[in-house]
Amino acid sequence: MKTGDVYTWKRTFTNEEVLEFGRISGDQGRHHVEPDKEGRLMVQGLLTASIGTKIGGDLHYIARDMVSEFLRPVFTGDTITCDVSLEKVVQADGHKKVEMKSVYRNQKGKEVLIGSSHGIIRD
């Protein structure tokens, strides 16, 4: 693991997942529970952001700070790809200090979410 490494994960969200996340999180705004004219639900922002947390989990990353900017809506059926770039990795006593940036794009290549985070990975 070093500065400049990029990790990627992609996911397509279903109506069932959006409804279940709404039940668990309490985020049940009308746009998350009532389908639009195309039968789609709007995916909760934090559910979309969970693609990056999957990558963080794979790295055993413990976040200390997370900033997200939601640029456009994500709907069920959209395939979202998240690229997490390690901007800085510094060895410290018993852990690595890590700074990362993330970019989430839909199947059309449009950015839907950008974010940054810093935290640690224990040795």
Side-chain angles (χ1 to χ4, degrees):
M1 173 180 309
K2 65 188 179 313
T3 300
D5 285 352
V6 178
Y7 300 88
T8 302
W9 187 254
K10 85 171 126 176
R11 180 169 180 189
T12 303
F13 295 100
T14 67
N15 284 6
E16 293 77 20
E17 290 168 328
V18 169
L19 294 171
E20 181 67 8
F21 186 82
R23 188 188 65 74
I24 292 167
S25 68
D27 186 355
Q28 297 186 339
R30 188 175 324 145
H31 47 289
H32 299 312
V33 297
E34 294 177 9
D36 66 6
K37 294 175 186 173
E38 298 173 39
R40 308 172 304 169
L41 297 175
M42 185 184 296
V43 178
Q44 294 91 342
L46 291 179
L47 181 54
T48 301
S50 73
I51 301 171
T53 62
K54 189 271 188 223
I55 294 169
D58 289 348
L59 299 174
H60 308 291
Y61 176 70
I62 300 168
R64 297 259 170 98
D65 178 75
M66 297 173 75
V67 176
S68 298
E69 183 178 354
F70 301 93
L71 304 173
R72 59 178 38 91
V74 172
F75 294 94
T76 53
D78 288 346
T79 298
I80 307 301
T81 301
C82 174
D83 294 314
V84 172
S85 305
L86 301 185
E87 300 292 305
K88 190 173 184 180
V89 179
V90 177
Q91 185 63 50
D93 187 26
H95 64 279
K96 293 174 183 67
K97 294 180 180 180
V98 179
E99 294 179 16
M100 56 179 63
K101 291 195 176 185
S102 55
V103 178
Y104 298 68
R105 292 180 180 86
N106 64 19
Q107 67 276 6
K108 297 176 183 176
K110 294 188 177 187
E111 291 182 359
V112 298
L113 169 61
I114 56 175
S116 61
S117 179
H118 77 272
I120 64 167
I121 298 173
R122 294 182 181 142
D123 292 334

